[in-house]
Amino acid sequence: METTLTHAPPTALALDTPLEPEALRRLDAYWRAANYLAVGQIYLYDNPLLREPLTLAHLKPLLPDKLVAHKQYIYRYGQDMPEIRDWQWVGKGEAGARSTA
């Protein structure tokens, strides 16, 4: 069975010609906005558009620092850190963990 094209394939984009200054400006603005929003989702609880002065209350705690410390503790002592060792996961559908201590 032979396949026949019913329309012409899209023409190739000429990569050897530079973008117009306005197109380049808009592409750069889009790129910066997308990166800004991604960083805001990672590091901020609230106020991503900075409509009020940024405070420590807006920032999420840096969990990776605790993960590194936990991995180093396990490597050194072969067990979980004491504050994590006695955790029990709560029932189905409930988020988080609680300590029995």
Side-chain angles (χ1 to χ4, degrees):
M1 188 177 246
E2 204 173 306
T3 305
T4 355
L5 292 175
T6 56
H7 63 281
T11 57
L13 178 65
L15 297 177
D16 56 349
T17 58
L19 290 174
E20 297 289 328
E22 178 60 17
L24 187 58
R25 184 196 67 75
R26 293 179 69 190
L27 181 62
D28 180 62
Y30 172 80
W31 181 260
R32 286 184 289 112
N35 283 319
Y36 176 84
L37 291 173
V39 168
Q41 288 178 336
I42 293 169
Y43 292 108
L44 297 177
Y45 281 125
D46 198 10
N47 192 23
L49 299 178
L50 300 178
R51 294 180 184 205
E52 57 188 63
L54 192 61
T55 65
L56 287 177
H58 295 130
L59 299 176
K60 293 179 183 177
L62 293 179
L63 183 60
D65 292 341
K66 189 63 173 178
L67 291 175
V68 169
H70 188 213
K71 285 181 181 181
Q72 289 172 343
Y73 188 93
I74 291 172
Y75 181 75
R76 176 177 276 177
Y77 299 107
Q79 60 185 359
D80 284 330
M81 297 172 91
E83 61 264 28
I84 295 173
R85 194 175 308 134
D86 297 326
W87 276 12
Q88 290 182 350
W89 294 102
V90 293
K92 184 177 180 181
E94 298 176 33
R98 64 174 176 244
S99 177
T100 57

